[in-house]
Amino acid sequence: MVESALIPPAELEAERVFLAEARSALARMHRDVATRDVPMIGGEDNDERFTNEANTRAHEQRTLALVDMPDVPLFFGRLDYEHGAIEELDQFYIGRRHVHDGTGAPLVIDWRAPVSVPFYRATRSDRQRVLMRRRYGFSDTAELTGFEDEPLIGADESDQADAFLRAEIERPRTGPMRDIVATIQPEQDDLVRAPLHPSVCVQGAPGTGKTAVGLHRVAYLLYTERERLSRGGVVIVGPNRSFLSYIRKVLPALGEVDVRQITIDELINLPAAASDEPEAARVKGDARMARVLHRALWSYVGKPTAGILFSKGSQRYRVHDYEAEEIVAALRESTRYAPGRAALAQRIAHAVLVLMERRGESPDDRVQNAVARSKPVKELVDAVWPRVAPEQVLHRLLSDADVLAAAAGDELTEEERAALLWRKAPRSWKSAKWSAADTILLDELDDLIERRTGSLGHLVLDEAQDLSAMQLRALGRRCRTGSATVLGDLAQATTPWAAGSWDRVLGHLEKSDGVVAELDRGFRVPDQIIDFAAKLLPQIAPTLGIPSGVRAVTDALSIVETDEDSLPEALIASCRRALAGEGSVAVIAADDQVAALRDALAAAGLEPGLLGEAEDTMDTARLVCVPATLAKGLEFDAVVVAEPARIVAAEPRGLHRLYVVLTRAVSRLQIVHAAPLPTALAPS
C-alpha cells in the first residue's frame, strides 16, 4: 500500500506517532522482563533444580518473545467500536502481540484475543458492534505509509478489503515467508481458531494459504492453551530444511519463539546411510509392514521345551514345561516384547513362590526377585524370550528369505518380498547401513519392543500428503495424547509411498476423529496460473475439485517455445525480464539440470543462488535456482520454469511434481521449453 493523497497528513502523522509510542512501550516491556530477577529455590534436590531450570527457561522465552523486530509492524489494523461496547474503550489497535503502556492500559491488542475477532469476521450484515475497520499499509522497512478505512454502517458494499488483500499479497517479497495475520480471510480464520481437539486436517489447493493457516493456528493455540501445550511442547514437521528455512520467521514475528521446526528424519533421530530402490521404499512405507514387523519380532519368542528346577538349600522346586508354556502364551497376548520378557522371569519366580508356600514357607518380594534373577530362570527366559534390538530384528527380516516369507504371510506378494530382500546382506546387524525408510521401520520395532512414553502437546505436519503410512505411524506415536494440524494437497503428492486419502492419513496418525476441511480459493496464485496448472488435475487427482483464483494479473502467464540449443539463452532472457520487475525470482528445473542452468545464468552475470547449497540462499539472492524436488511450499514473485517435460520424466509421479512447480508464482509465470509440453498443457 502506498500513501494516499486523500489521507489527511495530520492524521497519518498521528498514526506514525502512535506507532513510535507503541514501539517504545514494547522496548520498555522487554527491558522490564530482561532485568527482572528469576525466582530461585535454594537446595540441591532434583525437584528444586528442575524448578529453577524451568523458571530460567520461562524467563528466557518471555524475554525473546518481547524482542521487537524492526522490519515487522507492531499493528496492522484498528477497530472502532460503538461507544460502550467494550468497557470504556471504543478503539483498539490490532497487532501481532500485546503491548501496554506503563499503567497496564492496552496500546496494541493481540490479534488472537477475542476482542480482535471482528477484525476478521465483522461484515455489514453482522457488524458485531463495529463501526469502522481500518487497515494500515507499511513499507518493507515497517514504515507506516497509509491506511484504508472500511465503514461497516451503510448499505453500499465496498471492495476496499479486497483491494487491501490484493495489495498485501502482491507486495514484492524477498527472503523468508511473511505472516498473513493482516489478511486472514474468514474461512482461514475458522481453521486458525478451531479448538485444540479434535485434530484438524486442511486440504488446500495451491495458493490457498494452508501453510500460513497452520502456522497462525499454532500461534493461536499457544495463546489459548499455553499451559496445556507447554507440558508436551509443539513441533512443526516440514518436508525439508529449505522449506523450514523459508517459514522460520513467521512464528517469531507473532511472538512465539519456543516451537521446534524440524524434518521427520530429524525427529526420528536415526541416521540414514543407505538408499532404497523406489519399489523397496514404497513397500517399506506401506501400512502392511507394521503387521510384518510385529510377526518378525514375536517370532523370536519360542515354546518352552523344559521347565526349571530351582534349589534353595536342601529344597527343590520344579516348574514344569507346560506351566511355563501357559505363562508365555498369556504374556504374548497382553504385553509388549521387553516388558513381557521381564514379566516372564517374575511369573516363573511367582510359580516357585507358590510351591514354597505350599510347603509352609513364607517367602516375600525379595525372595521372588532373587528367584527371578537366578540362573535357571535366566536360562529359560533367554532361551524362550531372548533380548533383541530393533536392528537385529530388521537385519534378519531383510536378509533371510524364509524369515521374510513367514513374517509376511499373505500381506506381501512375492514380488514385494523380492524388492525388500537385500541383494548382499551385511554380515551382522551391528554393521548394517540403513536407509531412510529403514529408520522408520526401526522406530516401529523400537515401539513394539517397549512403548514410547510421553507425548507432544500438538504436532503440525506440513506437506503431509507425501508421508508414508509408516512415517505417519511414527509421528502419531509421538503425539498419542496430543492433537495435530495436518496440512497438504493430495494433488501435490509426489512420493510413490504416499498414504492416500486424508481419512487414511488421520487413521495412521491415530487421529481418526479429526476434522477434514478444504481451502479452494487461491489468494496467492493468479487465476490464469491456477487455471493452467489445473489442466493436470483430471490425470493426477481426479477426485479433487478445480480450485479458483481470486486475482487476475496482467500477463501472469507466458510460454516460450525454443529449440534445445537455444534453451539457455531463452532462459537468460526470461530471467532478465523477470528481474526487471520487483521481488523474488526463481528458476525451477529438474534436479539434474538445475546446476548447469545456474552456471549459465552466472556466466551471463545474473548472480543466481542455488537452493539447497546454503540455508540462507533465499535471504541473500534475489534470483534463486530451485531443484524441482525442493520447490514444494515455496513462493516467489516471478517463476521461470525450464523444460517441464524433463521435470515430468525425472520421477514416477512427475506430473504431480510439475503441478507443484507451476503453482509457485505469486505474480508471473514464464515457461521455457524445447521438448513438447505434456499433452494436458499443450495448446489446443
Side-chain angles (χ1 to χ4, degrees):
M1 183 188 295
V2 296
E3 184 173 340
S4 171
L6 300 178
I7 298 175
E11 188 171 1
L12 181 61
E13 182 58 28
E15 295 285 25
R16 288 172 172 165
V17 169
F18 183 82
L19 175 60
E21 291 175 355
R23 287 205 180 278
S24 296
L26 180 62
R28 175 189 48 75
M29 291 168 62
H30 176 266
R31 187 167 55 252
D32 289 347
V33 171
T35 58
R36 186 179 304 156
D37 291 335
V38 181
M40 294 290 181
I41 302 174
E44 292 297 326
D45 64 55
N46 289 335
D47 288 343
E48 291 175 344
R49 284 201 301 272
F50 178 80
T51 300
N52 288 336
E53 289 172 2
N55 287 343
T56 300
R57 178 168 176 76
H59 180 262
E60 291 172 350
Q61 295 301 327
R62 178 62 178 157
T63 303
L64 284 173
L66 289 172
V67 172
D68 192 8
M69 303 178 73
D71 58 341
V72 178
L74 273 188
F75 58 80
F76 50 81
R78 196 182 88 187
L79 289 175
D80 290 1
Y81 278 92
E82 297 172 355
H83 179 66
I86 302 176
E87 298 180 352
E88 299 301 317
L89 298 175
D90 299 335
Q91 193 176 87
F92 293 91
Y93 286 81
I94 312 300
R96 290 164 172 80
R97 63 186 74 190
H98 178 78
V99 181
H100 62 79
D101 66 10
T103 68
L107 298 177
V108 180
I109 298 294
D110 195 302
W111 66 277
R112 299 166 287 188
V115 73
S116 303
V117 172
F119 185 80
Y120 304 103
R121 304 286 186 90
T123 62
R124 280 183 171 77
S125 58
D126 180 20
R127 293 191 297 110
Q128 303 179 38
R129 304 190 72 178
V130 174
L131 300 175
M132 188 267 289
R133 175 165 44 213
R134 173 170 287 184
R135 293 182 172 89
Y136 296 92
F138 293 86
S139 69
D140 285 339
T141 58
E143 177 190 2
L144 200 161
T145 59
F147 56 79
E148 291 176 345
D149 289 341
E150 182 186 3
L152 297 183
I153 294 180
D156 294 336
E157 292 296 328
S158 170
D159 62 356
Q160 285 177 310
D162 288 341
F164 178 84
L165 172 65
R166 180 179 180 122
E168 178 64 19
I169 290 172
E170 293 179 357
R171 182 160 59 95
R173 69 203 58 230
T174 55
M177 177 181 177
R178 300 192 295 254
D179 65 69
I180 64 163
V181 67
T183 58
I184 294 173
Q185 298 301 290
E187 64 264 44
Q188 297 172 326
D189 197 52
D190 288 339
L191 297 170
V192 168
R193 297 178 193 269
L196 183 60
H197 292 281
S199 296
V200 172
C201 175
V202 181
Q203 158 62 40
T208 55
K210 55 186 176 292
T211 294
V213 164
L215 294 171
H216 289 70
R217 174 165 164 74
V218 166
Y220 175 77
L221 291 176
L222 285 168
Y223 179 82
T224 59
E225 304 276 3
R226 189 173 304 278
E227 183 176 352
R228 188 174 178 183
L229 292 177
S230 64
R231 292 192 289 270
V234 178
V235 168
I236 297 172
V237 177
N240 52 62
R241 290 307 314 176
S242 295
F243 173 84
L244 293 173
S245 176
Y246 177 61
I247 69 171
R248 73 185 186 277
K249 289 190 175 181
V250 174
L251 285 173
L254 300 174
E256 300 300 342
V257 296
D258 196 22
V259 177
R260 292 174 65 200
Q261 300 184 33
I262 57 179
T263 67
I264 185 171
D265 293 336
E266 293 166 338
L267 184 65
I268 300 302
N269 199 28
L270 290 171
S275 58
D276 284 313
E277 293 294 327
E279 177 62 5
R282 183 193 68 79
V283 179
K284 288 178 181 179
D286 195 287
R288 294 171 294 166
M289 285 301 298
R291 296 187 288 274
V292 174
L293 294 174
H294 186 276
R295 294 193 195 103
L297 173 63
W298 285 95
S299 69
Y300 281 85
V301 177
K303 181 178 179 181
T305 58
I308 69 153
L309 180 64
F310 178 78
S311 300
K312 183 182 180 185
S314 61
Q315 299 295 318
R316 302 288 186 270
Y317 306 93
R318 182 180 296 279
V319 177
H320 296 283
D321 56 353
Y322 65 86
E323 295 176 285
E325 185 178 341
E326 290 173 357
I327 293 172
V328 170
L331 287 173
R332 285 192 63 139
E333 299 298 323
S334 61
T335 185
R336 275 174 162 73
Y337 191 93
R341 173 182 160 84
L344 176 58
Q346 290 292 329
R347 295 279 184 91
I348 297 293
H350 178 73
V352 172
L353 261 65
V354 170
L355 296 175
M356 291 180 178
E357 290 170 347
R358 287 175 182 172
R359 296 185 185 182
E361 300 180 41
S362 300
D364 56 18
D365 290 345
R366 289 175 298 175
V367 175
Q368 180 168 326
N369 289 333
V371 175
R373 293 193 299 269
S374 67
K375 183 177 180 180
V377 174
K378 290 177 67 175
E379 287 177 346
L380 183 144
V381 171
D382 288 341
V384 174
W385 203 305
R387 191 187 308 275
V388 295
E391 293 84 354
Q392 181 181 358
V393 179
L394 190 58
H395 175 270
R396 188 174 82 155
L397 182 70
L398 300 182
S399 60
D400 190 318
D402 293 335
V403 171
L404 178 57
D410 296 331
E411 300 287 350
L412 305 178
T413 66
E414 185 177 345
E415 291 76 17
E416 288 174 326
R417 297 199 305 272
L420 288 179
L421 275 175
W422 278 327
R423 302 293 177 264
K424 184 178 180 181
R427 289 185 178 181
S428 165
W429 60 270
K430 294 183 179 180
S431 62
K433 294 182 179 179
W434 307 105
S435 68
D438 290 333
T439 64
I440 303 298
L441 301 184
L442 292 171
D443 190 77
E444 179 88 18
L445 283 165
D446 186 62
D447 187 70
L448 288 172
I449 292 171
E450 188 152 21
R451 182 169 183 149
R452 182 179 301 278
T453 58
S455 172
L456 294 170
H458 194 73
L459 175 67
V460 179
L461 303 183
D462 210 337
E463 304 298 348
Q465 75 279 346
D466 275 342
L467 295 173
S468 72
M470 296 302 291
Q471 287 175 316
L472 291 165
R473 287 174 60 88
L475 292 166
R477 286 192 290 275
R478 287 159 171 78
C479 194
R480 278 195 168 102
T481 60
S483 60
T485 298
V486 180
L487 311 166
D489 178 12
L490 296 179
Q492 298 184 55
T494 54
T495 59
W497 51 80
S501 71
W502 293 123
D503 287 342
R504 289 182 183 175
V505 168
L506 291 171
H508 295 315
L509 284 171
E510 297 186 8
K511 309 295 179 192
S512 295
D513 62 341
V515 177
V516 180
E518 184 173 4
L519 294 175
D520 59 3
R521 283 205 303 157
F523 302 103
R524 313 189 76 77
V525 181
D527 58 1
Q528 303 100 309
I529 297 175
I530 288 180
D531 290 345
F532 180 74
K535 293 178 180 180
L536 297 172
L537 289 178
Q539 290 179 257
I540 64 175
T543 62
L544 293 181
I546 304 298
S548 61
V550 300
R551 299 162 47 242
V553 177
T554 303
D555 298 326
L557 175 66
S558 62
I559 301 175
V560 176
E561 184 174 6
T562 184
D563 57 64
E564 188 171 349
D565 292 338
S566 303
L567 184 68
E569 289 76 11
L571 281 168
I572 292 168
S574 291
C575 288
R576 292 191 189 281
R577 286 194 296 272
L579 290 167
E582 294 183 291
S584 57
V585 180
V587 176
I588 308 180
D591 288 27
D592 64 352
Q593 186 183 21
V594 72
L597 294 179
R598 188 273 303 267
D599 292 344
L601 294 172
L606 295 184
E607 300 182 355
L610 178 59
L611 194 68
E613 267 194 348
E615 193 166 301
D616 64 347
T617 298
M618 293 182 65
D619 296 358
T620 58
R622 186 181 169 209
L623 173 63
V624 181
C625 293
V626 181
T629 57
L630 295 182
K632 196 169 293 181
L634 307 183
E635 290 181 347
F636 303 89
D637 288 288
V639 171
V640 179
V641 176
E643 207 64 281
R646 191 160 175 172
I647 294 173
V648 173
E651 53 188 312
R653 307 194 83 176
L655 282 176
H656 294 76
R657 183 73 66 189
L658 181 59
Y659 181 73
V660 173
V661 168
L662 293 176
T663 53
R664 300 304 96 200
V666 174
S667 296
R668 302 174 302 282
L669 171 66
Q670 298 181 61
I671 299 171
V672 181
H673 71 102
L677 294 175
T679 304
L681 301 179
S684 55

